[in-house]
Structure formats: structure tokens, C-alpha cells
Amino acid sequence: IVAVTLSVHAYAQHKKINAYKTPSHFISLPRGQVYTTQMTSHWIGSIEQATNFLTKTLKPSDMFFALPYDPLYYYLTNQKSPTRQLIFFEHTYIPQAQEIKIIQELESHPITHIVLSNFFKTDDHYRGTLGATYCPLIASYIFQNFTPVAQLGEWNDAPGWADHHGVTVLQRK
């Protein structure tokens, strides 16, 4: 009886999982190759579009800086982050001294591009707005030294963790 119960349960799980194994749930990037039920097909399309842009644009010696919270791009492009700090939101409270250290880290690496997701500017007090409610020095550094070269993904609606993801890619001036 136990073997039959386990077999029936395994078969039911297999059918449930296979229902999501569709192209709209698949991250087809070389370092992706995973099905996900948590993200919309638009979100997947946005990250694939941005990753493909970075892969085609960056030279092997180039590095980029992704913020406010986009370490997925480091993984998908097989790049290292130029700084240990991976999350930049109002609630993380990054003091001025740490901002200065982060900028120094960015200057010590060949940072040619910035990946700025649409989470950088929200009305949410938890996340805040880059430059206005958190990290004014980093925002100033970015906007003085980099210029937008591409806007990818969804920008028409408020960003969410699993939908409406968009990025602006900025290039060093």
C-alpha cells in the first residue's frame, strides 16, 4: 500500500510540474535553463532581453554595476559584482562613509555600464527612491558619469518582484 501511495503521489506531482514546463515559464539563457512558476513571462522576457544586451555589449574585460537589487544579472552574465554591497534600498540604510567606499570600489574596477532596474524609484517607503531617500552620493556618481543607452523590459506599470521588470542600461560617458 505504501508503494502504491508513493507512486500515485509522485505521478500527481509529476503531472503538476509538467503543466508549468512551457516556453513561457522557461528562462532560456545559457546560465538560466530553468522553469519558474513564480515569474510572469514578461518578467522572464525582460531579464532575457537585458542579459542578452549586456552579453553582446560588454567586452570580456568590462564590468557592470547592478542596482538597486539585481544580482541575478551577475549570475546570468557570469560576471562578478564590483562591490560586496548587493542591495540598495532605503530600508538597508547605507551610511555616507559606506557610499564613499562603494564609489571607490566602482572606480577601482573597469565599470563601463550600470544596470538600473525600475525598482530604483518607487513610492514605497520601504524601498524608496535612489538619490532622494537613499544613497545620494552613489546616485550623483552614477548620473554624473554615466548616460542611458538602452531601456529594456516593462516600464509602464509599478515594478513588482515577479512582474513589470524593466532596466535602464547606462554607459560611462
Side-chain angles (χ1 to χ4, degrees):
I1 286 182
V2 172
V4 171
T5 303
L6 289 174
S7 295
V8 168
H9 180 70
Y11 179 72
Q13 287 298 101
H14 177 72
K15 281 191 72 153
K16 185 177 179 181
I17 290 168
N18 275 344
Y20 292 104
K21 287 189 173 181
T22 65
S24 65
H25 290 101
F26 187 64
I27 299 175
S28 64
L29 297 163
R31 289 184 55 93
Q33 303 295 306
V34 66
Y35 290 95
T36 178
T37 61
Q38 297 172 326
M39 308 307 177
T40 66
S41 59
H42 294 292
W43 184 92
I44 291 170
S46 294
I47 64 155
E48 287 180 338
Q49 188 180 20
T51 301
N52 287 331
F53 179 86
L54 290 169
T55 302
K56 290 175 184 170
T57 304
L58 297 174
K59 297 174 187 164
S61 61
D62 291 345
M63 291 183 78
F64 67 91
F65 178 45
L67 71 159
Y69 185 53
D70 295 286
L72 179 61
Y73 289 110
Y74 298 126
Y75 174 76
L76 292 173
T77 59
N78 199 24
Q79 291 263 353
K80 291 184 179 179
S81 171
T83 178
R84 291 181 59 192
Q85 182 70 33
L86 296 177
I87 184 168
F88 298 83
F89 284 126
E90 184 174 350
H91 72 86
T92 58
Y93 183 70
I94 298 172
Q96 186 177 26
Q98 188 177 355
E99 281 192 77
I100 292 168
K101 184 176 180 190
I102 290 166
I103 292 168
Q104 289 170 344
E105 288 174 327
L106 297 176
E107 283 295 305
S108 70
H109 293 90
I111 304 301
T112 58
H113 291 78
I114 304 287
V115 176
L116 188 61
S117 79
N118 56 350
F119 263 119
F120 87 97
K121 184 178 181 182
T122 68
D123 295 332
D124 181 349
H125 72 279
Y126 179 73
R127 294 183 190 108
T129 299
L130 178 67
T133 63
Y134 68 93
C135 295
L137 297 179
I138 291 173
S140 178
Y141 170 79
I142 289 171
F143 297 121
Q144 286 177 8
N145 295 290
F146 295 84
T147 188
V149 291
Q151 191 173 56
L152 310 160
E154 296 182 276
W155 283 89
N156 296 331
D157 296 308
W161 286 117
D163 56 2
H164 309 303
H165 180 70
V167 298
T168 295
V169 179
L170 300 100
Q171 184 174 354
R172 188 174 289 278
K173 292 179 182 177

